[in-house]
Amino acid sequence: MNVSEMLLHALREHGAREIFGIPGDFALPFFKVVEESGILPLYTLSHEPGVGFAADAAARFRGSLGVAAVTYGAGALNMVNAVAGAYAEKSPVVVISGAPGAGEAGSGLLLHHQAKTLDSQFAIYKEITCDQARLTDARTAPAEVARALASCLRESRPVYIELPRDMVAVPCDPAVALPLPPVDGDALEACVAEVLARLRAAASPVLMVGVEVRRFGLEAKVAELARRLGIPVVTSILGRGLLAGTQAPLLGTYLGVAGQPAITELVESSDALLLLGVIISDTNFGVSSRQIDLRKTIQALDHRVSLGYHTYPDIPLAALLDALLARAEARAQPVRFAPPRHPRGLQADDGPITPDDVALALNDLMDAHGRMPIAADMGDCLFTAMDVEQTALVAPGYYATMGFGVPAGLGLQAASGERPIILVGDGAFQMTGWELGNCARHGWDPIVLVLNNASWEMLRTFQPESRFNDLDDWRFAEMAAGLGGEGVRVRTRAELEAALERAVATRGRFQLVEAMIPRGVLSETLSRFVAGVRRLSQR
Ligand code: S1T
Ligand code: MG
């Protein structure tokens, strides 16, 4: 076995099931081993941001490692934004970068793709990963890889592995997976007793679930706990799609001022808000209509549990859930709840299309043809997705980068084998929509809904006087054929409904439905979000 094979076997043993990448001369030898060994399938794309987003989506969907392989410098540094988003939203992506070999590094020459020094890239990636490894010595490489992959899974954050091209074929031992760190049983007992006491004493306990519940594969346990305790459950914006299809008393997504008033009131008036794996971010809590006193909540995140003014360290979410399930008695009367019913029944007439019509149309489509996983980009398409029936959803709901949607949809189909729906605005499509050109060779056929308002509309809602928010009308539907798919432009609700039905019926080629949305027409959720942010800022 050589260093590359050791790395590939270790990735597979830790849960990776594919690699997304773009080679370069510093990475060619490694990509050769990837392609010829067949240990993991390789999907090359066209631009490194797309590689990062696709690997991120695969990691989120599967709750295990996503892998992004790139060349040194121009490749890896091109992917920084996507990896930063994975870090912020706790997605376990393994970045593998080729690098100069020892000989060329010591040549005294400045090397191509070198920015400042040959250590600059490592330093940059230290800021957006939870662990790093440079495989410069075959004797230590297996332990370095085992440690980095264990960190990636334990922290559910990206890690960075640098593989110099002169190390690729060096003989090496296999990596031995590290055991999970032990949990202090007494601390866990004390923590669980205190959490359960707080919940029992509460008049209106509420459970909010966030990204870590998906990342650590804990949905079934959380659903059982909520059912057992008889506590209503909501998701954070980033946690949307969680518990879909379980029997948990799921009420919907907490969106503060932008959300359904009943859910906002329930969360913000709770006297015991249990936050399981919820990132305490402005997009999750900055839009609270009244300040939620986070000191009164019970927060389980980043393997710590905080109640009031004290914290139990080193309590992984999985251990906490197992212990809670072992001790939680069923509440006398299970909570009565009406599962969220998202709007459906599009009025298929000659009226113009609004983002809310898109949500209606998608709910009708999934009623007729079954749930489909969704990848959403940043823009009003993200807010529109909040009104689509609960289904597996990957979206940059906190880091909020554009460009995520299309590559993430491709990563979803690669990881799940299911046909995804991609929701993307015209501005974001201009960034990474072209990755659709890779569908044909990889056998992907997503349904892509482009909300084309020829505008950076979300920015216009905050600063309407700026003309730079006016975009030209790029005729995306006409470009689909050139990229190997089929496209249609629709202007009315009836055309939208027919186009989606045709798209579902056509397999084997991506289907691009370009929905023309009049400028200034927003989804209800985005309108409430903007109005709420304005109100809060005037406080
Ligand atoms: N660049 C990147 C990579 N991500 C961003 N989020 C932004 C810039 C800022 C930004 C938004 S929303 C938005 C921009 C430029 C406009 C999005 O336009 P489009 O995709 O057409 O969607 P819509 O017309 O629905 O707004 C957020 C606020 O940061
Ligand atoms: Mg737009």
Side-chain angles (χ1 to χ4, degrees):
M1 176 181 285
N2 62 38
V3 171
S4 304
E5 290 156 343
M6 174 275 291
L7 175 55
L8 291 168
H9 281 299
L11 285 167
R12 185 167 186 85
E13 283 149 23
H14 283 75
R17 289 294 175 269
E18 69 285 302
I19 293 181
F20 299 93
I22 298 177
D25 65 323
F26 288 118
L28 278 176
F30 174 63
F31 273 70
K32 177 178 166 68
V33 176
V34 174
E35 183 173 71
E36 293 174 0
S37 70
I39 298 167
L40 288 172
L42 171 63
Y43 299 112
T44 55
L45 295 176
S46 302
H47 197 211
E48 283 85 359
V51 169
F53 291 137
D56 179 346
R60 291 180 196 219
F61 182 82
R62 201 176 25 238
S64 184
L65 299 184
V67 185
V70 288
T71 191
Y72 182 76
L77 298 184
N78 210 10
M79 196 166 67
V80 166
N81 178 55
V83 178
Y87 186 91
E89 300 188 359
K90 298 215 71 173
S91 184
V93 172
V94 180
V95 174
I96 301 172
S97 174
E104 50 200 325
S107 67
L109 296 173
L110 290 174
L111 301 184
H112 64 285
H113 292 340
Q114 175 179 343
K116 188 175 178 184
T117 75
L118 289 177
D119 296 330
S120 299
Q121 177 170 308
F122 189 87
I124 289 163
Y125 267 89
K126 271 187 92 163
E127 281 306 299
I128 52 174
T129 55
C130 69
D131 202 342
Q132 308 80 27
R134 289 173 112 159
L135 308 187
T136 52
D137 180 342
R139 289 164 302 177
T140 58
E144 288 280 297
V145 165
R147 190 202 67 246
L149 298 189
S151 301
C152 190
L153 289 173
R154 184 183 64 253
E155 304 296 330
S156 189
R157 296 223 197 241
V159 294
Y160 172 76
I161 296 177
E162 193 168 284
L163 175 54
R165 60 177 164 184
D166 62 352
M167 288 299 297
V168 162
V170 174
C172 173
D173 293 335
V176 177
L178 297 180
L180 284 173
V183 178
D184 176 336
D186 296 341
L188 182 59
E189 273 292 319
C191 175
V192 165
E194 189 175 352
V195 169
L196 290 175
R198 279 284 305 274
L199 294 175
R200 270 195 297 274
S204 165
V206 174
L207 172 53
M208 185 184 296
V209 292
V211 281
E212 281 193 351
V213 170
R214 156 85 41 69
R215 301 287 185 271
F216 295 120
L218 299 170
E219 286 185 70
K221 290 185 175 175
V222 170
E224 171 54 27
L225 180 68
R227 215 181 13 254
R228 184 101 57 83
L229 293 175
I231 295 182
V233 190
V234 299
T235 77
S236 65
I237 190 170
L238 250 182
R240 181 160 181 84
L242 279 170
L243 305 186
T246 67
Q247 292 308 307
L250 179 65
L251 303 184
T253 298
Y254 171 69
L255 295 169
V257 292
Q260 291 162 28
I263 292 179
T264 301
E265 174 55 26
L266 180 81
V267 168
E268 297 182 0
S269 61
S270 169
D271 55 350
L273 183 56
L274 175 53
L275 303 171
L276 288 184
V278 176
I279 297 175
I280 310 297
S281 68
D282 59 352
T283 50
N284 279 343
F285 295 99
V287 286
S288 298
S289 61
R290 81 173 83 149
Q291 207 52 39
I292 295 179
D293 185 348
L294 289 172
R295 292 167 305 173
K296 294 208 178 90
T297 63
I298 305 165
Q299 298 175 37
L301 181 73
D302 285 337
H303 39 81
R304 281 189 297 277
V305 179
S306 300
L307 298 96
Y309 296 95
H310 58 282
T311 295
Y312 292 88
D314 304 323
I315 305 273
L317 191 57
L320 176 70
L321 275 170
D322 287 341
L324 284 168
L325 282 170
R327 289 156 191 76
E329 301 100 38
R331 253 168 104 113
Q333 62 289 19
V335 68
R336 303 238 165 285
F337 73 98
R341 184 93 178 121
H342 295 280
R344 50 229 322 127
L346 176 69
Q347 178 100 18
D349 57 17
D350 291 342
I353 300 167
T354 70
D356 290 336
D357 291 328
V358 169
L360 290 173
L362 289 178
N363 288 333
D364 293 346
L365 195 75
M366 290 203 283
D367 284 348
H369 302 285
R371 295 283 170 86
M372 299 168 77
I374 295 180
D377 211 299
M378 181 63 204
D380 200 0
C381 59
L382 177 64
F383 294 86
T384 302
M386 296 299 113
D387 276 326
V388 175
E389 198 50 69
Q390 292 270 6
T391 184
L393 169 71
V394 290
Y398 158 43
Y399 183 70
T401 180
M402 287 160 71
F404 179 88
V406 167
L410 305 186
L412 265 192
Q413 186 157 11
S416 70
E418 295 171 42
R419 188 182 204 187
I421 291 171
I422 295 171
L423 278 175
V424 57
D426 57 305
F429 192 96
Q430 290 180 12
M431 293 184 177
T432 56
W434 317 107
E435 292 292 356
L436 290 174
N438 293 296
C439 286
R441 63 196 173 94
H442 294 316
W444 300 325
D445 60 351
I447 294 176
V448 187
L449 244 171
V450 182
L451 280 62
N452 188 355
N453 47 24
S455 167
W456 284 330
E457 196 61 26
M458 204 175 151
L459 297 186
R460 189 193 304 281
T461 62
F462 293 118
Q463 196 166 293
E465 69 277 17
S466 295
R467 290 191 313 283
F468 53 64
N469 289 317
D470 300 346
L471 301 183
D472 283 345
D473 173 7
W474 293 25
R475 309 182 69 80
F476 299 107
E478 289 172 21
M479 301 175 198
L483 292 170
E486 292 176 355
V488 61
R489 170 171 280 203
V490 295
R491 291 186 178 282
T492 70
R493 289 188 277 256
E495 289 171 354
L496 172 64
E497 183 182 78
L500 286 174
E501 281 302 326
R502 197 166 43 249
V504 163
T506 311
R507 293 302 309 250
R509 291 182 303 288
F510 74 80
Q511 300 293 303
L512 189 150
V513 178
E514 181 184 18
M516 302 311 290
I517 311 266
R519 268 190 197 154
V521 175
L522 305 180
S523 66
E524 258 305 293
T525 304
L526 179 54
S527 304
R528 285 198 301 263
F529 177 81
V530 173
V533 168
R534 278 214 188 95
R535 261 202 322 278
L536 295 174
S537 62
Q538 280 145 17
R539 260 190 198 162

